């Protein structure tokens, strides 16, 4: 975990320099105070634009990074599981998001280590510049996403983006791979969530049929089915099974 966090911080430093790099070149040539950044010098009034662009980029960065990881699939499945159990507020959103984040770190640790070795370490030693570090660091991430992206989704965005058909998926740009990966993960999450719903749905149907047949119309079936579903989930060690199946789906 420590290595993954360290690699993330180093990559953030590289992204920092890349974000500032997009400041207008004309403003950068103006006279004025000089701002020194990693591998970059910004002059004059371009500093204010650089700060605005940087803050905007950092605001979107968490969503971008989480969209390129298993976080989306894991969180969708947890949401379906909670709805199937009938406990709309337990576990809390903070608990589920925290668990999803740690599981995401667990799955992405090998990818982070590869990014650290191929991109961040050479960048720290000054062997490559910021853009080369970003290009090298995107290779392991792209490879990871392509493993879980359907060809149908890739073909959709290749067609919509009017891109030539690549010789291999690794040749696709990130603007094609990322949205295709997200909708593939959403489909997978919904599929697993539907499977999780089935046994609890059977319990709801049986309880509703029994209560209706014996004339217990004033007692909502959910009052009886919810404790039964929770008891079944606890007896079957449901969290162990769900988390174990989730992690195995990424190996």
């Amino acid at each position: 975990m420590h290595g993954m966090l360290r690699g993330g911080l180093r990559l953030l430093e590289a992204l920092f320099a890349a974000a500032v790099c997009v400041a207008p070149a004309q403003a950068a040539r103006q006279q004025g105070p000089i701002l020194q950044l990693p591998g970059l010098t910004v002059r004059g009034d371009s500093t204010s634009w650089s700060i605005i662009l940087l803050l905007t980029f950092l605001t979107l960065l968490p969503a971008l990074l989480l969209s390129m990881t298993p976080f989306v699939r894991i969180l969708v499945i947890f949401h379906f599981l909670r709805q199937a159990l009938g406990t709309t507020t337990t576990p809390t959103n903070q608990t589920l998001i925290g668990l999803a984040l740690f599981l995401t770190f667990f799955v992405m640790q090998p990818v982070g280590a590869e990014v650290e070795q191929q991109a961040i370490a050479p960048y720290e030693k000054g062997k490559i510049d910021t853009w080369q570090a970003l290009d090298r660091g995107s290779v392991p991430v792209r490879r990871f996403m392509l493993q879980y992206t359907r060809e149908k989704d890739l073909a959709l965005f290749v067609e919509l983006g009017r891109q030539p058909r690549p010789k291999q998926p690794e040749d696709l740009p990130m603007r094609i791979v990322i949205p295709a990966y997200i909708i593939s993960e959403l489909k997978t999450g919904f599929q697993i969530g539907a499977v999780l719903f089935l046994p609890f749905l059977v319990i709801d149907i049986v309880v509703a049929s029994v209560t209706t047949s014996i004339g217990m119309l004033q007692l909502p079936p959910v009052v009886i089915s919810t404790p039964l579903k929770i008891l079944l989930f606890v007896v079957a060690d449901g969290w162990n099974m769900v988390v174990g199946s989730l992690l195995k789906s990424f190996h």
Side-chain angles (χ1 to χ4, degrees):
M1 179 68 70
H2 177 73
M4 181 68 177
L5 291 174
R6 180 176 178 271
L9 291 175
R10 296 301 185 183
L11 182 59
L12 183 60
E13 180 184 352
L15 293 174
F16 183 94
V20 180
C21 217
V22 299
Q26 182 177 0
R29 290 192 296 266
Q30 296 178 359
Q31 298 296 327
I34 300 177
L35 175 65
Q36 298 290 342
L37 292 172
L40 185 68
T41 300
V42 181
R43 296 175 180 272
D45 296 336
S46 65
T47 302
S48 59
W49 284 104
S50 300
I51 295 175
I52 294 174
L53 292 173
L54 175 63
L55 293 177
T56 304
F57 181 78
L58 290 179
T59 302
L60 300 175
L61 181 62
L64 293 174
L65 293 180
L66 293 177
S67 298
M68 294 185 288
T69 62
F71 181 82
V72 175
R73 181 196 301 191
I74 296 172
L75 196 60
V76 167
I77 292 173
F78 284 165
H79 174 75
F80 273 102
L81 177 61
R82 188 172 63 179
Q83 293 295 322
L85 286 172
T87 57
T88 56
T89 58
T90 304
T92 62
N93 291 332
Q94 291 83 353
T95 303
L96 293 181
I97 292 174
L99 179 58
L101 284 173
F102 276 104
L103 293 179
T104 301
F105 275 119
F106 184 85
V107 174
M108 295 297 294
Q109 186 174 5
V111 180
E114 194 171 353
V115 172
E116 167 77 20
Q117 179 181 4
Q118 296 183 7
I120 299 175
Y123 175 77
E124 289 179 338
K125 297 178 181 179
K127 297 181 179 179
I128 57 177
D129 58 21
T130 301
W131 295 111
Q132 290 175 333
L134 291 176
D135 290 338
R136 292 189 181 185
S138 65
V139 173
V141 180
R142 182 190 291 110
R143 188 186 308 120
F144 173 83
M145 290 191 292
L146 288 174
Q147 292 179 358
Y148 307 102
T149 305
R150 300 184 304 167
E151 293 184 2
K152 181 179 180 181
D153 297 328
L154 289 173
L156 171 65
F157 285 97
V158 168
E159 179 182 358
L160 295 177
R162 299 180 180 179
Q163 293 286 326
R165 185 178 181 87
K167 296 181 180 179
Q168 54 185 358
E170 288 75 11
D171 298 333
L172 289 172
M174 294 294 282
R175 75 183 188 94
I176 300 294
V177 177
I178 292 176
Y181 171 77
I182 293 175
I183 63 174
S184 296
E185 287 292 280
L186 288 175
K187 177 180 175 60
T188 303
F190 273 73
Q191 287 177 334
I192 299 176
V195 173
L196 287 175
F197 245 108
L198 292 179
F200 301 108
L201 180 62
V202 171
I203 295 177
D204 288 332
I205 294 175
V206 171
V207 171
S209 301
V210 172
T211 55
T212 302
S213 62
I214 64 179
M216 298 177 60
L217 301 179
Q218 296 181 351
L219 182 65
V222 68
V223 176
I224 302 176
S225 63
T226 299
L228 292 178
K229 291 188 291 186
I230 295 175
L231 179 62
L232 174 64
F233 189 73
V234 172
V235 171
D237 198 4
W239 285 110
N240 183 280
M241 295 176 59
V242 171
V243 173
S245 300
L246 269 175
L247 295 181
K248 290 177 182 178
S249 67
F250 291 102
H251 295 283

